[in-house]
Amino acid sequence: MFKTIFLSFFLFIAFLSCQNSVESAIYEKDSLQWLKVKIESLAVHPDYVGSKVYRYEWNSNFVYHIMIPISSCAYCELYNGDGGKIQFTNDEMFSDFLKNKKNEVLIWERKFH
């Protein structure tokens, strides 16, 4: 249990410290259909205020990170371009993602009002 909490905390801190500059995009025009459906569900759920969707390039592919502030796992919602969920199967894969992700684009965010 402690290991899981520690790992979640570490991943969250690593996420915050590794963010690149953010360039906004208009999700209605630029997003894939499966991503629009996910964003629409985030937009109406009362607990998802502050959620953000980022796109990165990693291993020559686009990946999409859905960051939900109430989630205890920094990269639990990471998807490939087809909408398939990406699971980090080991520490090396996670480290590679943090080290080699690039071209961060903020696709959408639900701002606090």
Side-chain angles (χ1 to χ4, degrees):
M1 176 70 177
F2 177 76
K3 185 177 177 181
T4 303
I5 293 170
F6 178 78
L7 181 59
S8 296
F9 178 74
F10 172 77
L11 295 177
F12 179 73
I13 297 301
F15 168 73
L16 291 177
S17 65
C18 294
Q19 290 188 27
N20 300 322
S21 63
V22 176
E23 176 185 325
S24 294
I26 300 173
Y27 93 92
E28 291 92 349
K29 181 184 82 164
D30 296 335
S31 295
L32 304 166
Q33 188 58 38
W34 68 265
L35 187 57
K36 288 180 183 180
V37 170
K38 288 206 172 282
I39 289 171
E40 288 168 5
S41 70
L42 292 171
V44 298
H45 195 286
D47 293 333
Y48 293 162
V49 174
S51 296
K52 296 179 182 181
V53 178
Y54 293 94
R55 184 185 74 198
Y56 301 97
E57 287 181 51
W58 179 47
N59 292 335
S60 301
N61 295 302
F62 286 126
V63 295
Y64 300 86
H65 174 225
I66 299 175
M67 188 189 91
I68 302 170
I70 62 169
S71 176
S72 62
C73 181
Y75 285 100
C76 289
E77 298 286 326
L78 192 66
Y79 296 89
N80 63 29
D82 294 328
K85 196 166 190 175
I86 296 172
Q87 296 288 333
F88 293 113
T89 55
N90 55 48
D91 291 339
E92 291 80 22
M93 184 179 177
F94 180 70
S95 294
D96 181 70
F97 175 73
L98 291 178
K99 181 179 175 185
N100 296 308
K101 67 182 171 77
K102 59 185 178 180
N103 298 328
E104 179 180 84
V105 175
L106 177 63
I107 300 294
W108 176 86
E109 77 178 298
R110 183 169 172 193
K111 295 183 179 182
F112 294 94
H113 293 293

